[in-house]
Amino acid sequence: MTKVCTAVLLALALLVVPARAGERPAAIANAPAPPPVPDELLVRFKAEATAAPASVAQRLGDRLQRALGARYAVMKLESGQTLADALAAYRAMPEVEAVQPNYRYRFLAVPNDPLYPQLWALNNDGQPVEGGTLAAAIPGSDLDMERGWDEITDCTSVIVAVLDSGVNYLHQDIAGNLWDGSAAGFPLHGYDFLDDDNDPMPADAFGHGTHVAATIGAVGNNGIGVAGVCWRAQIMALRIGDRRGATTARIVQAMQFAIEHGARIINLSLGGSEHDPAFEEEVERARRRGVLVVTAAGNEGADNDDGATPFYPCDFPQDNVVCTAALDQSYNRASFSNFGAVSVDVGAPGTNILSAWPGRVRADDLRGWVRTGGWTETVCNFNLGRLPALVNPASWCATPPGTYAAGANDVAYKAFDLAGVRHARAAFFRFLATEPDVDFLGYALSPVGGNPFAVGSLIALHSGSTGTRPIEESIDLHGCFTSTCTFGFRLQSNGAVADRGVAIVGLRIDTVEPNANAYAVLQGTSMAAPHVAGVAALVWAYNPRYTSADVRAALIEGGEPVGALAGITASGRAVNAFGALQYIAPPAGVAAAVR
Amino acid sequence: MRCVRRLACALVLLAAGGAGGEGLASDPGTYVPREYIVTLAGADAAEALRALYGEYGIERLQPLGETRFLLRLARDPGIETLRAAAEASGRRVELARNYVYRYQR
């Protein structure tokens, strides 16, 4: 979409109104003047002028290139004068009211993706983000992507490996931008090191990796959803974990895979607190192979360099690591973001980041359940707010709470339309207190509807107490991908002891859908890192001969100084796409003799 | 479009101050219990590791590159005991936990 034009009509408007600076973010307003067409001038004639434009041009040794209405004309300079001399000469003509160069304007590249206006990280005009937290915003605090995209939007020459929770490679906004691993035997664009197969779909419907991948390379300017930092990309999807995280073993395997299969950038939106020699060795191997590793600074709000709270891989000393802190919409450090004057290299947007999600998330209001016995739909007061809950007994929320019935065989279930999904999980929090190994809470599924404990399959049984802490459950709904899927709970007790019972809170169904067009807002240094990885891919595609060190230098030295990062990061800069693309390293090893 | 994070926040708040004084969910841990990343060079490395740690019940010994393995034991005597056994064998064996890394969202 990047276009160059001799914007005659636009320039005519500028003859009267020199700039539209107020309509652009500050970073754009400060842009240098566009270059003039070297042998043309724009002339506005006085209303009372009687001489024809062509004759005026002729008197100065030039010719009329084009008349633009009654009073405007483009003059072709043929007299051999410099532009400055020609400007002066025309200005001196009695018929001329104003004259200026005919500037060559370039359209700033703006994608047509409908959610692009919410992507403040790419172009911050102070906009709110639907589904995000309310936040103050300073326009212009962004990656300066539109000026960057004016140079390049296509990163397909650079493979970016996303080592994460998997990627929904069938998402409408990602499907076109994936690594083609067919020739190497990986037709599904990557590998799943968790399940040890070649399908990197997020089988647990956890969308972190899909979100990260789309930030780097959602298809841009396709009229769908969001735009990635790269409009065209080759994302290598490597699933190394589920919603609980990833382990050393899977990271090591995936890094080896990425390096061996040509990835030049590895995005790691994760971290841990233990020094891990195997992990560091792979980062070192990546360094030797010229692979850049972009990673998250961490979300503890801590100093990674204080000796007490190290954070890896951010703290690894290899110089191919670009560790990224998160900035908010005012380019303050996000409150959760770790920092480090030595280990954290740069900042990038990491709050209220809208990106792709593997499928719809169906938050259930815990209403409309088919219930028997003591199951009750209620709202409990949880100190920090009243939340819907499905409880048994009805008095679970009372003070003091009651107990469930002896001899209970109570079920509660609800139908969910899961037709066509690839994966789905029910996630919820449960509080449980039952007589251990005697009274049970069960979960069941039925693909054909009805009471899943009567016509479906029992999935799990729990007994005993969660104590004062809720347990977060994530139940695989595989086998129930129908329009009539019912999912339910059963509380069974004998006749002896009764306890406080069960509360189910915050139930939602996460899905992975083919042809998905779902999006979500997340916060974190996980979200900052892929912005940097995307800019790195742009820089590398723009400068194919760059080494990883060159790309890293461009990211850092081409960054924008940000006060909030000064002294708490190594560079004090936020990554800036335009700056990184324009950055040229000063020559090294050059000696000059001065007389 | 949904704000997944908002839901997560609500649940965290619930966990932090719910009815009856419910507390935070437990720390899921920084490493996988009974699993180690073991480095040992040599063509007989897998065989040597089986001999070295077989008494603890090797559930899994997966190569992770040329000299590295993921080792899962049925019974974990602790990393110091495993290191001592390696030292006594005269082979250069490096052991580390199979650490868990969290997504930073």
Side-chain angles (χ1 to χ4, degrees), chain B residues 90-104:
Chain B
R91 301 278 300 256
R92 186 183 170 198
V93 180
E94 293 176 6
L95 279 143
R97 297 285 191 183
N98 189 20
Y99 291 111
V100 176
Y101 292 84
R102 311 288 175 197
Y103 304 114
Q104 298 301 304

Side-chain angles (χ1 to χ4, degrees), chain A residues 130-132 164-165 206 208 241-242 244-253 256 269-272 274-276 278-279 281-282 298-299 311-312 354 361 382-384 429 431 468-470 505 508 519-521 523-526, chain B residues 1-8 10-28 30 32 35 37 39 60 62-68 70 72 94-105:
Chain A
E130 184 185 345
D164 214 289
S165 61
F206 182 52
H208 188 273
D242 56 19
R244 294 168 298 181
T247 63
T248 305
R250 305 299 161 236
I251 293 168
V252 163
Q253 286 181 293
Q256 291 171 357
S269 285
L270 48 71
E274 303 291 339
H275 182 261
D276 187 339
F279 194 170
E281 192 174 310
E282 290 308 322
N299 288 357
F311 192 78
Y312 301 98
L354 176 65
V361 179
F382 286 99
N383 289 8
L384 296 174
F429 279 59
F431 295 89
T468 59
R469 303 176 177 193
V505 185
R508 67 176 195 275
Y519 303 86
V521 176
Q523 333 272 341
T525 51
S526 273
Chain B
M1 182 193 336
R2 308 207 62 81
C3 175
V4 173
R5 183 64 179 175
R6 180 183 295 170
L7 178 60
L11 294 173
V12 170
L13 297 177
L14 163 68
E22 286 79 1
L24 287 166
S26 59
D27 182 351
T30 58
V32 183
E35 290 192 356
I37 305 296
T39 306
R60 185 174 194 179
Q62 179 186 11
L64 303 173
E66 292 175 3
T67 61
R68 198 178 291 132
L70 170 62
R72 183 193 296 153
E94 293 176 6
L95 279 143
R97 297 285 191 183
N98 189 20
Y99 291 111
V100 176
Y101 292 84
R102 311 288 175 197
Y103 304 114
Q104 298 301 304
R105 61 140 186 165

